[in-house]
């Protein structure tokens, strides 16, 4: 009886410990606020650098009005999609980390308008003031997404 207990204790101490499950890193509110501020600021800075560098811009300036409308609609869709699919995305997990994919996917889609605005700025010659509207929209969308998503997690 004592021998079997000793064997069990010795066997358990020599066996390798089970691997600890990978800890999931949940995006914090401060990280999402940081992304919501830094990414649009990065694109605005890049736009100012491109504008002051003397690089020829606006090879497609004739399509600016139509492209502006298309990308405004695409921006609204990019912002609305995470909110419409939110409950489904919060249930789905990443197969590797077992973390919800919704926070990062929603953040990326919320920041998409600043990318769209930058493309219009470089390709179609949109003004910096209009680019700043895209950047502010993306920043507000990302901040709102981050604030509401971290509350739900």
């Amino acid at each position: 009886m004592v021998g079997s207990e000793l064997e069990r204790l010795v066997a358990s101490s020599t066996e390798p410990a089970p691997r600890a499950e990978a800890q999931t890193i949940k995006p914090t509110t401060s990280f999402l606020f940081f992304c919501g501020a830094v990414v649009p600021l990065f694109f605005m800075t890049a736009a100012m650098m491109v504008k002051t560098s003397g690089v020829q811009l606006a090879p497609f300036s004739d399509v600016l009005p139509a492209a502006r409308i298309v990308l405004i609609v695409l921006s609204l869709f990019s912002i609305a999609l995470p909110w419409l699919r939110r409950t489904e995305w919060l249930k789905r997990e990443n197969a590797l980390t077992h973390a919800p994919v919704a926070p990062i996917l929603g953040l990326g889609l919320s920041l998409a308008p600043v990318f769209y605005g930058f493309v219009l700025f470089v390709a179609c010659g949109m003004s910096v003031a209009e680019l700043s509207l895209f950047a502010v929209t993306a920043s507000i969308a990302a901040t709102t997404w981050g604030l509401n998503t971290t509350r739900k997690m």
Side-chain angles (χ1 to χ4, degrees), residues 43-96:
F43 277 102
M44 289 296 294
T45 304
M48 295 309 294
M49 289 175 64
V50 167
K51 188 170 183 97
T52 59
S53 71
V55 174
Q56 284 296 87
L57 297 177
F60 304 107
S61 58
D62 52 333
V63 297
L64 178 62
R68 183 185 298 130
I69 291 170
V70 168
L71 288 180
I72 287 173
V73 170
L74 188 59
S75 294
L76 293 173
F77 180 73
S78 296
I79 292 170
L81 182 65
W83 293 98
L84 298 173
R85 305 290 298 218
R86 180 186 179 124
T87 55
E88 181 182 327
W89 287 352
L90 284 174
K91 291 177 192 172
R92 188 175 299 166
E93 294 180 342
N94 184 339
L96 297 176

Side-chain angles (χ1 to χ4, degrees), residues 13-27:
S13 67
T14 59
E15 290 177 2
R19 290 182 65 184
E21 289 188 31
Q23 292 181 349
T24 58
I25 299 173
K26 293 182 180 177

Side-chain angles (χ1 to χ4, degrees), residues 1-17:
M1 186 158 183
V2 174
S4 64
E5 279 296 312
L6 284 174
E7 282 181 5
R8 188 180 60 82
L9 288 173
V10 170
S12 66
S13 67
T14 59
E15 290 177 2

Side-chain angles (χ1 to χ4, degrees), residues 40 131-141:
L131 175 60
S132 65
L133 289 175
F134 277 88
V136 167
T137 302
S139 185
I140 291 171

Side-chain angles (χ1 to χ4, degrees), residues 124-152:
C124 299
M126 185 173 71
S127 70
V128 174
E130 289 175 303
L131 175 60
S132 65
L133 289 175
F134 277 88
V136 167
T137 302
S139 185
I140 291 171
T143 302
T144 305
W145 172 258
L147 199 92
N148 287 320
T149 302
T150 54
R151 280 190 204 152
K152 304 285 186 219

